[in-house]
Amino acid sequence: MRLLHTSDWHLGRAFHRVNMLGAQAEFIGHLVTTVRERAVDAVVVSGDVYDRAVPPLAAVELFDDALHRLADLGVPTVMISGNHDSARRLGVGAGLIGRAGIHLRTEPSAAGTPVVLTDAHGDVAFYGLPYLEPALVKDEFAVEKAGHEAVLSAAMDRVRADLATRAPGTRSVVLAHAFVTGGEASDSERDITVGGVAAVPAGVFDGVDYVALGHLHGCQTITERVRYSGSPLAYSFSEAGHRKSMWLVDLGGDGSVSAERLDCPVPRPLARIKGTLDGLLTDPAPARHEEAWVEATLTDAVRPADPMARLTERFPHILSLVFAPERAPDDPQVSYARRLAGRGDQQIAQDFVAHVRGAGPDEEEAAVLRAAFDAVRADAAVREVAR
Ligand SMILES: [Mn+2]
């Protein structure tokens, strides 16, 4: 059985001031063409269909168009909700859409109920695990301490239990939206840390033939059988080095997996350039980025006048400007943003305590901070669900 694995479409999301709906529509067209030309048997979409719980109308219309085109192909599709989607909103109409062969899985309670597709070698059971927000699903999965590993393990126990009841030789595919240990993040995923932990070990998914992951926006291989497709488009300059892709996965009759990486259309390349304003305007080297979406980091010791207007003359598609004057790392002038870069909320809070008190938090105090961050996140998640 030949699968096409994609995720993290984030329909409706903009890239800085650029509306990406045109590029998103082009990707949908590319997806449909690929399904037809490469004789795909099933499409899997591993969450974050939309960028927000309440997406703009144009994004909803684009998704509707994608559903119609996938249904017209007659190729079954399995989709789950991600942490950016409102599972309940996305799930409205799922029963009816399912009759057209598009299986939207947004209910955690259905974790152990697969969509079963069949080829010449027998059945393939597709288990769609929507993004599981630990605080919201801990009762459903009867776990005491709400963490990502606990709830995903419990959901996977249901998958394995169901699989054990099926005919020997039944192959299995799991769709999940999670941060798996060893995966590399970018700047465009929303933080999902709970209890100080964001990631789950890949071993949680043991016992199935292929795990189609969503959440991380870079295409990556955790193991031969556990992969991220990544987002089809870049949504931050941290993805300037990414090659945006989908996985074309051939699932053999014996459960063997071979995967081919397929490139997605690139609306416009991304470039990060760095130097003094005069250097960026006159050096020959950045000429190859003149048509790219550009993020320029200015290293001038003194902020120059009108930098954006001047850079736009050479780089008409410049979208982002960063000031990073060259200074010694211990210079108190090093910007606040740079001091925070790459550190999580917990670490920032702990460093703040150390800064104002002279000593960082002890274990008990660190736990209080963690609990506070968890409470804020859980509250935000509950609000999202209620929208
Ligand atoms: Mn995402």
Side-chain angles (χ1 to χ4, degrees):
M1 185 171 288
R2 176 169 275 190
L3 317 175
L4 186 62
H5 165 197
T6 171
S7 74
D8 294 273
W9 296 353
H10 289 271
L11 301 181
R13 184 165 183 154
F15 179 57
H16 293 266
R17 60 184 156 81
V18 180
N19 181 324
M20 294 293 275
L21 268 164
Q24 289 161 351
E26 193 186 341
F27 163 70
I28 298 295
H30 170 73
L31 172 79
V32 169
T33 302
T34 304
V35 170
R36 210 173 35 226
E37 289 181 354
R38 301 301 302 267
V40 169
D41 297 310
V43 177
V44 293
V45 186
S46 299
D48 285 354
V49 169
Y50 291 125
D51 189 52
R52 285 189 254 147
V54 184
L57 182 59
V60 180
E61 287 171 341
L62 179 56
F63 183 55
D64 183 53
D65 176 58
L67 292 179
H68 276 91
R69 293 169 74 181
L70 287 167
D72 285 346
L73 288 170
V75 174
T77 300
V78 187
M79 292 187 181
I80 57 172
S81 46
N83 60 312
H84 282 250
D85 299 306
S86 163
R88 284 171 64 186
R89 273 177 187 270
L90 190 64
V92 170
L96 201 55
I97 294 167
R99 293 198 209 171
I102 298 180
H103 308 279
L104 255 168
R105 293 307 174 104
T106 61
E107 281 286 340
S109 60
T113 309
V115 175
V116 180
L117 304 178
T118 305
D119 67 4
H121 304 281
D123 287 349
V124 181
F126 289 77
Y127 298 89
L129 310 185
Y131 172 66
L132 301 174
E133 178 64 46
L136 300 182
V137 301
K138 73 180 195 348
D139 293 338
E140 167 66 35
F141 292 106
V143 297
E144 277 187 14
K145 219 163 164 254
H148 287 295
E149 188 173 348
V151 296
L152 254 185
S153 297
M156 281 302 301
D157 285 344
R158 289 194 193 173
V159 168
R160 285 180 286 258
D162 179 82
L163 201 51
T165 66
R166 294 184 181 271
T170 300
R171 289 156 292 159
S172 52
V173 173
V174 163
L175 287 77
H177 197 87
F179 191 158
V180 172
T181 310
E184 201 179 306
S186 70
D187 289 346
S188 66
E189 298 96 3
R190 194 182 286 161
D191 184 19
I192 56 167
T193 301
V194 172
V197 184
V200 297
V204 160
F205 297 105
D206 282 353
V208 295
D209 294 314
Y210 185 70
V211 182
L213 292 171
H215 182 57
L216 298 182
H217 287 187
C219 178
Q220 45 203 305
T221 301
I222 305 294
T223 73
E224 279 306 301
R225 294 180 185 277
V226 180
R227 294 170 192 262
Y228 283 98
S229 62
S231 58
L233 293 159
Y235 291 113
S236 68
F237 275 102
S238 70
E239 295 156 76
H242 286 187
R243 206 182 116 200
K244 294 303 184 182
S245 318
M246 299 184 281
W247 288 113
L248 188 70
V249 177
D250 280 319
L251 186 59
D254 56 354
S256 61
V257 162
S258 71
E260 181 187 344
R261 188 170 172 175
L262 305 182
D263 288 344
C264 293
V266 179
R268 190 178 285 286
L270 264 55
R272 282 179 139 167
I273 57 175
K274 186 174 183 179
T276 61
L277 180 59
D278 279 344
L280 293 180
L281 291 174
T282 55
D283 280 355
R288 64 198 166 96
H289 299 309
E290 285 171 0
E291 288 308 310
W293 278 321
V294 166
E295 177 175 83
T297 299
L298 293 182
T299 56
D300 301 74
V302 176
R303 206 176 269 230
D306 258 346
M308 197 57 148
R310 293 171 66 192
L311 282 164
T312 301
E313 285 173 26
R314 183 174 190 187
F315 306 99
H317 306 286
I318 184 169
L319 294 177
S320 170
L321 199 52
V322 179
F323 293 98
E326 297 287 6
R327 290 194 174 100
D330 57 351
D331 186 322
Q333 295 261 38
V334 171
S335 81
Y336 184 66
R338 282 176 81 197
R339 277 186 281 134
L340 299 188
R343 295 148 79 213
D345 293 339
Q346 179 77 16
Q347 195 57 47
I348 292 167
Q350 295 197 174
D351 292 351
F352 175 73
V353 173
H355 174 74
V356 295
R357 194 175 63 180
D362 60 23
E363 220 159 280
E364 206 174 314
E365 291 166 334
V368 171
L369 287 171
R370 242 185 329 264
F373 283 120
D374 285 354
V376 170
R377 270 182 37 74
D379 184 56
V382 169
R383 280 166 204 272
E384 198 84 319
V385 166
R387 282 174 85 164

